């Protein structure tokens, strides 16, 4: 809807008409129009149906590289924990942001910050359909002796 408002305003529709058409206040329409440059320079992440937060190209590239790293690690037989993902995501994001700043000599109009959080990881998992991430409490609760006992007991029941 916000993209439509921007397009219609650029084609000559005035703010009060847009406010009436979209049943929003004129101040809301003006706020959307003030953010038009930032909105045009960003794209929604893949598989996003509701655009609550704008993701910059850096954020989308970070997610793509992070997904590749996770898949490499899993193919090599390693486990991937939330902590590893948080650290890697932050490192990749900082590298990409530093690279962009060096190339352009400036930052974009959006306040480009990234904080790896549980919600961020959950949304990343939904978009990428990664399900084999070990949460810290799961890793801490893994009981090797208990697993060996279970396997032995289970094998005797099957036999």
């Amino acid at each position: 809807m916000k993209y439509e408002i921007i397009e219609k305003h650029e084609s000559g529709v005035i703010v009060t008409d847009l406010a009436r058409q979209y049943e929003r206040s004129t101040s809301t329409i003006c706020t959307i129009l003030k953010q038009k440059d930032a909105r045009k320079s960003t794209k929604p992440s893949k598989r996003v149906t509701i655009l609550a937060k704008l993701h910059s190209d850096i954020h989308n590239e970070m997610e793509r590289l992070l997904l590749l790293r996770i898949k490499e690690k899993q193919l090599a037989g390693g486990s991937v924990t939330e902590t590893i993902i948080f650290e890697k995501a932050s490192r990749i994001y900082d590298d990409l942001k530093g690279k962009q700043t060096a190339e352009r000599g400036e930052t974009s109009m959006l306040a480009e910050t990234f904080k790896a959080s549980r919600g961020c990881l959950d949304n990343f998992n939904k978009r990428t359909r990664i399900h084999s991430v070990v949460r810290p409490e799961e890793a801490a609760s893994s009981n090797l002796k208990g697993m060996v006992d279970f396997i032995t007991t289970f094998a005797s029941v099957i036999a």
Side-chain angles (χ1 to χ4, degrees), residues 15 17 42 62:
V15 173
D17 291 342
T42 58
M62 179 271 302

Side-chain angles (χ1 to χ4, degrees), residues 45-61:
S45 297
K46 291 182 181 177
R47 297 184 193 93
V48 172
T49 55
I50 298 173
L51 186 59
K53 190 170 188 179
L54 295 173
H55 289 289
S56 65
D57 290 337
I58 291 177
H59 191 268
N60 291 333
E61 180 68 6

Side-chain angles (χ1 to χ4, degrees), residues 37-128:
D37 291 334
R39 290 198 179 279
K40 285 182 176 182
S41 68
T42 58
K43 299 174 198 136
S45 297
K46 291 182 181 177
R47 297 184 193 93
V48 172
T49 55
I50 298 173
L51 186 59
K53 190 170 188 179
L54 295 173
H55 289 289
S56 65
D57 290 337
I58 291 177
H59 191 268
N60 291 333
E61 180 68 6
M62 179 271 302
E63 284 192 351
R64 187 186 71 77
L65 293 172
L66 182 62
L67 180 61
L68 287 173
R69 176 70 176 126
I70 290 170
K71 286 183 177 181
E72 284 175 2
K73 184 106 171 154
Q74 289 174 338
L75 287 173
S79 64
V80 182
T81 64
E82 277 186 351
T83 306
I84 291 171
I85 291 174
F86 290 160
E87 290 172 2
K88 194 66 176 173
S90 295
R91 199 172 310 129
I92 292 170
Y93 188 85
D94 290 341
D95 290 346
L96 290 172
K97 188 173 178 183
K99 189 177 180 182
Q100 180 195 44
T101 303
E103 288 174 0
R104 295 183 185 175
E106 62 184 44
T107 57
S108 76
M109 292 181 69
L110 285 177
E112 290 189 41
T113 57
F114 173 74
K115 181 175 180 337
S117 64
R118 171 79 48 98
C120 178
L121 178 64
D122 290 342
N123 290 332
F124 174 73
N125 288 345
K126 287 176 191 173
R127 284 191 297 276
T128 58

Side-chain angles (χ1 to χ4, degrees), residues 120-156:
C120 178
L121 178 64
D122 290 342
N123 290 332
F124 174 73
N125 288 345
K126 287 176 191 173
R127 284 191 297 276
T128 58
R129 298 186 177 110
I130 292 180
H131 300 290
S132 56
V133 175
V134 178
R135 297 204 182 256
E137 60 272 9
E138 293 170 353
S141 67
S142 62
N143 180 350
L144 187 57
K145 184 180 180 321
M147 285 191 296
V148 171
D149 291 343
F150 173 77
I151 291 171
T152 307
T153 306
F154 187 70
S156 65

